[in-house]
Amino acid sequence: MCTIAILVDVADAPLVIAANRDELYARPTRAPEPLADGIVGGVDELSGGTWLAIHRAGRFAAVTNQRVLDPPPAGLRSRGLAVRELAMADDPQAYAGSIDPTRYASMNLVWGDASGAHVGYFRRETAEREILRLPRGIHVLCNDRIGAPGFPRGERLAEMIAAALARSTRLDDLIPALEHALGDRARNEPGDVPPSDRLPHEIARELTAICIHSATYGTRSATVAAFEPGRVVVYDHADGPPDQTAFADLRGLL
């Protein structure tokens, strides 16, 4: 999962999320399916982990990879397994606080329910573990800390969400607006692309889009969900690029 917006106490549901999963096309995955009793998420067939899990009790857990210069060493535990375990944990905060960052490639975890949402920054290189409660507002997590520079797609998504909320906070209006925003293909102009030491300029430009389409990597799926105390009121999923794929209601899987 590479882009996830978390809306805390700004809509007619106390917690709403809108997320795109960006991945190599060649990496085998399965669409959301039951992972445990009352828990649903997509499956990474190589690791058995998930990038986003929804719990029928009205909560979620998700991960984004942390942007790093060097590839992680072999033998680390899958970050997707941490998401599965976080979703299953009776006490998500306690589980997150017990994670050993050196066992995983660096990552950003986010989780929450109607009572609030948290983000955790876990860095293998420094053994750093920082967990923060998200205040009321619109938060967009990409591949670094929330608010970190260098992610135009995150800034654009936050702006589109703010505009949608200004029009209406009703879920009937907001959910279609979020699904539309996740499919946005606008990119920065060639002269306004954040510099990259690792990527060709054209690929770096493609990564400024909310919905990414490149030759080998792009937005594979999208999810919009809303939570009220003890229940999931929206769980829509597009099992493909959201600019080309219709969203389906997956609450029946929970």
Side-chain angles (χ1 to χ4, degrees), residues 98-119:
S98 72
I99 290 175
D100 177 357
T102 65
R103 297 185 64 200
Y104 301 87
S106 292
M107 64 180 173
N108 310 298
L109 290 173
V110 62
W111 64 96
D113 59 20
S115 68
H118 291 77
V119 63

Side-chain angles (χ1 to χ4, degrees), residues 37-253:
D37 185 32
I39 301 174
V40 171
V43 177
D44 183 319
E45 293 187 345
L46 296 183
S47 71
T50 186
W51 49 94
L52 171 63
I54 304 289
H55 195 299
R56 76 156 70 103
R59 64 180 196 258
F60 83 98
V63 67
T64 71
N65 298 345
Q66 170 61 25
R67 177 175 55 185
V68 294
L69 292 177
D70 299 319
L76 297 177
R77 198 163 188 266
S78 166
R79 291 170 285 203
L81 295 177
V83 178
R84 289 184 73 136
E85 292 164 2
L86 181 59
M88 292 187 288
D90 293 332
D91 186 340
Q93 275 72 264
Y95 173 82
S98 72
I99 290 175
D100 177 357
T102 65
R103 297 185 64 200
Y104 301 87
S106 292
M107 64 180 173
N108 310 298
L109 290 173
V110 62
W111 64 96
D113 59 20
S115 68
H118 291 77
V119 63
Y121 303 117
F122 303 87
R123 303 293 180 262
R124 183 190 63 82
E125 297 80 8
T126 61
E128 173 190 6
R129 179 179 60 227
E130 182 180 10
I131 296 172
L132 303 171
R133 184 180 177 91
L134 296 178
R136 179 181 183 274
I138 302 166
H139 310 275
V140 180
L141 179 66
C142 295
N143 301 110
D144 205 333
R145 292 171 177 269
I146 291 173
F151 296 96
R153 69 179 185 272
E155 297 171 8
R156 187 176 296 112
L157 181 57
E159 292 169 357
M160 294 181 74
I161 292 172
L165 287 167
R167 294 190 296 270
S168 174
T169 61
R170 296 178 63 251
L171 293 185
D172 286 349
D173 300 319
L174 179 61
I175 298 304
L178 294 177
E179 295 175 355
H180 174 75
L182 291 177
D184 187 77
R185 290 280 297 113
R187 301 177 297 171
N188 282 28
E189 292 298 322
D192 188 28
V193 175
S196 173
D197 296 329
R198 300 180 298 116
L199 299 173
H201 182 270
E202 188 53 37
I203 298 297
R205 184 184 180 212
E206 185 59 43
L207 296 184
T208 67
I210 297 171
C211 185
I212 298 167
H213 289 270
S214 73
T216 60
Y217 175 93
T219 301
R220 300 273 303 272
S221 64
T223 301
V224 175
F227 307 90
E228 292 180 350
R231 68 189 190 118
V232 180
V233 293
V234 175
Y235 180 17
D236 289 353
H237 179 78
D239 193 31
D243 62 327
Q244 302 173 0
T245 310
F247 283 80
D249 184 352
L250 299 191
R251 285 176 294 171
L253 293 177

